[in-house]
Amino acid sequence: MSTACAAMIDDGVIRGVLATVECQTRVYAEGGYTALTTGSSVFQGAVTAILTIYVALIGYRMLFAQGSARLSDAPGIALKVGLILALVTSWSTFQSLVFDLADRAPTEIAAIVSAPFTEGGASLASRPVDGLQAAYDEFSETGAAYGQLAGPNAKGYSSPQAAAAETTAAASGVLFLASAGVISAATLAIGVLTAIGPLFIVLALIPATRGLFVGWVRALAAAALTPLVAWLLIVLMLSVIEPWIVTLAEQRMAQRLNAQTAMSAAALVFVFAAGQAALVVGACVMAFAFRLPSPRVDRGRAGAVTAAAASGPASAPLPSRAERLALDLQRDQAQAAARSRVAAVAAATHPTSSRQVSVTLDDTRRLGDAYRRNSFTARRAGVAR
């Protein structure tokens, strides 16, 4: 444990846990990233090999016109490679674009959204961490007071005091898990995912492994959205239970404990804990909606498909140049075969005119061959342009 993080010990359960986890996570993420990117020759060799394979595949597709790769895509490809290299070689860049975005941005957004509830300086919601610590301490002390009032032999719900003691003690534990527990778990997940982030960022280059990168982004987004929704609900919870906390403190100090008040306050904590669980599930669902954009389709085929969709469901997309050329050749062959059959039938029916039909057929074939040559030459010229 670092010296700065060790200084946060004995600062209260909730306050100490949140501060220590935050400090240690940042130290661990930076150390893991540095060890992976600069201290591992295996990772550096893997990055070089993946970049070489990626550039070779792009060059092959552009050279042989495979897929939808075009020369106009070169600036975008260079930008993507440069961004990946910047993220896997510089901690300052990675920290600003990845770690701070996932760790600090949700807390700042939650502070902005909950500003109307935190304007009053004397309320628990004005300083959520201190407010959580005060609520946790009050439930713990109230539970101990009810336990002393119920006596050492009280078990379960044998008396209202015993029931209030167990309920408030459970409420303190649930309050810790629904606040500091959820936020600390999400912060730890962000630290671990950040430390191994360069591995998945490099895998985003290869289409076969791009799904692993998408999964990493979804997990990181879920871990980042969890503190956002958690802090928002915590501020709302502190605003709601503050009058109950004040009443419990007054009753405890005046030695006039009311079991109904304690159990009602504990029930509010249980309700907000259930809401916290639902929000965590919702954050995961929102994160899993992340998708990478689909590969760009050829402009000509995309235009043909769009025109076909606009004209109606019964129309088919327009064929490409190669398909049109094949259709033209098949049509010419069919016409030549039909003319041959007509000439054969005419020769069999009128032997005297067979020679004239043969001459006419030869002239037609020569004209068809000239037409095909001219058409093919024109198509080649259009393709070259």
Side-chain angles (χ1 to χ4, degrees), residues 183-269:
I183 295 173
S184 298
T187 304
L188 292 173
I190 291 173
V192 174
L193 292 172
T194 302
I196 61 176
L199 292 173
F200 297 93
I201 291 176
V202 173
L203 294 178
L205 284 172
I206 307 300
T209 58
R210 197 165 294 161
L212 296 175
F213 169 76
V214 174
W216 175 76
V217 173
R218 290 175 180 172
L220 190 63
L225 290 174
T226 298
L228 172 61
V229 297
W231 278 119
L232 291 175
L233 188 65
I234 286 171
V235 171
L236 179 60
M237 179 183 67
L238 292 176
S239 301
V240 172
I241 68 173
E242 182 176 3
W244 299 87
I245 298 297
V246 173
T247 304
L248 287 177
E250 293 175 351
Q251 292 180 358
R252 178 175 54 82
M253 289 176 16
Q255 297 296 324
R256 290 185 288 104
L257 298 175
N258 187 348
Q260 186 63 36
T261 303
M263 296 183 70
S264 298
L268 285 175
V269 174

Side-chain angles (χ1 to χ4, degrees), residues 109-120:
I109 295 174
I112 295 173
V113 174
S114 59
F117 297 93
T118 60
E119 291 177 353

